[in-house]
Amino acid sequence: MNGWISRGLTAVALATVMGTLYAADTKVDLSKETVGKPPIAFEPMVGSWVIAQDGAEKVVMVDGRPWVASKDNPTKLLIDSARKLYGTSNEELMDNAKQFAYYPVAILKGVETFSTGTISVKFKTVAGDADRASGIVFNVKPNGDWLGIRYNDTENNVALWEFHNGIRRPVRFSDPTKPFMLDRAAWHELKMTVNGSDFQASLDGQPALQYTLGSEPGPGRNGAAPNPDLFPANNPVLRPPVSGRIGLWAKTDSTSYFKDYEVAAR
């Protein structure tokens, strides 16, 4: 089980939270959550994640304001959450904490691993001075490595990112000639699909990007050689098959609402 399940939390307890230990057809129900409290369905790893009220609905909110106030001391929540998920603090994860802490992450409880299928979430941009990013994190490894697909409201694009050895790097961006100009006051759906090595993402039903996991990187900026970490031979998180935890992702001071998180496993 890759050490993800805390020794203090039994499989039965986690199954009670979400109904399954493995990715299956799952829709996160927020109706029983408490406004103003951290979500029960997700384990906040970095950042401030609370339940908020949006009209008649309860939503998960990542609040970027506390991140700004605490960015110079970011590891406490990460350490506490790692103990809940691992049963102890994870030294490799802690080594990555400084860089990891720039990207608020909340891990879905009850699904130990996701490999093949579709993950979707609805999001709404609320605020952010430095960033306005909302996304899905997947293939999260016990050392803190992950893949993430996100929409950036300041760049109007969708991007696939990888995080390895404490550093985040871009893998693929949506077509820069076709920006996604979204209404900030409206809800939007980000969806990703993994089928073996094939990865696809869409935004509001429109294809956004496609990538083959395990493929060699192209040239870097201005034709420079790509970073060695972008070669799958050097970076396990880029090699198929996908196998890891999943959840929600944001960046620095982004404040966003999330709802209707769904997992459909093949």
Side-chain angles (χ1 to χ4, degrees):
M1 292 189 179
N2 295 328
W4 272 101
I5 303 301
S6 165
R7 287 189 291 271
L9 292 175
T10 66
V12 173
L14 280 177
T16 300
V17 176
M18 292 302 299
T20 179
L21 279 174
Y22 296 91
D25 290 347
T26 301
K27 181 176 180 178
V28 175
D29 181 8
L30 300 176
S31 63
K32 301 297 192 297
E33 298 272 8
T34 302
V35 173
K37 299 290 186 180
I40 295 173
F42 293 88
E43 181 65 53
M45 294 291 288
V46 176
S48 178
W49 298 84
V50 297
I51 298 297
Q53 193 78 36
D54 183 58
E57 296 181 298
K58 292 178 182 177
V59 300
V60 177
M61 178 179 73
V62 57
D63 187 350
R65 294 168 298 179
W67 182 91
V68 173
S70 64
K71 64 181 179 180
D72 292 329
N73 185 26
T75 59
K76 184 179 184 300
L77 178 61
L78 183 60
I79 292 171
D80 291 345
S81 297
R83 288 186 176 130
K84 292 177 184 177
L85 291 168
Y86 292 99
T88 183
S89 61
N90 181 284
E91 292 302 322
E92 194 171 6
L93 180 59
M94 294 309 106
D95 289 342
N96 290 337
K98 184 176 180 180
Q99 289 291 331
F100 192 99
Y102 280 88
Y103 310 106
V105 169
I107 300 297
L108 181 65
K109 295 179 183 177
V111 175
E112 184 184 351
T113 186
F114 169 87
S115 294
T116 300
T118 298
I119 304 172
S120 63
V121 68
K122 291 180 181 176
F123 69 92
K124 182 193 292 187
T125 300
V126 178
D129 293 325
D131 290 290
R132 288 174 175 260
S134 309
I136 299 167
V137 68
F138 67 104
N139 208 27
V140 182
K141 304 299 186 181
N143 68 347
D145 288 355
W146 46 254
L147 293 173
I149 185 74
R150 63 95 177 114
Y151 171 72
N152 189 319
D153 189 67
T154 61
E155 299 176 358
N156 306 116
N157 63 13
V158 175
L160 176 66
W161 293 83
E162 62 88 20
F163 187 91
H164 178 57
N165 288 338
I167 302 213
R168 186 193 68 149
R169 293 187 177 89
V171 177
R172 179 64 56 87
F173 286 94
S174 58
D175 186 346
T177 68
K178 299 177 180 178
F180 291 93
M181 309 299 294
L182 302 187
D183 179 0
R184 288 179 176 175
W187 284 97
H188 304 281
E189 183 184 59
L190 179 64
K191 180 181 289 186
M192 53 159 277
T193 300
V194 177
N195 185 8
S197 61
D198 181 60
F199 176 84
Q200 298 183 45
S202 64
L203 188 59
D204 289 343
Q206 299 299 313
L209 62 80
Q210 185 171 358
Y211 182 72
T212 301
L213 295 166
S215 59
E216 298 295 297
R221 184 174 297 177
N222 297 322
N227 189 285
D229 262 5
L230 290 177
F231 287 90
N234 302 328
N235 189 343
V237 80
L238 288 172
R239 297 197 294 263
V242 165
S243 180
R245 300 293 290 254
I246 60 176
L248 297 169
W249 180 93
K251 185 181 178 188
T252 62
D253 70 337
S254 301
T255 297
S256 299
Y257 288 165
F258 298 92
K259 67 176 183 178
D260 296 347
Y261 193 99
E262 298 188 28
V263 183
R266 284 196 174 92

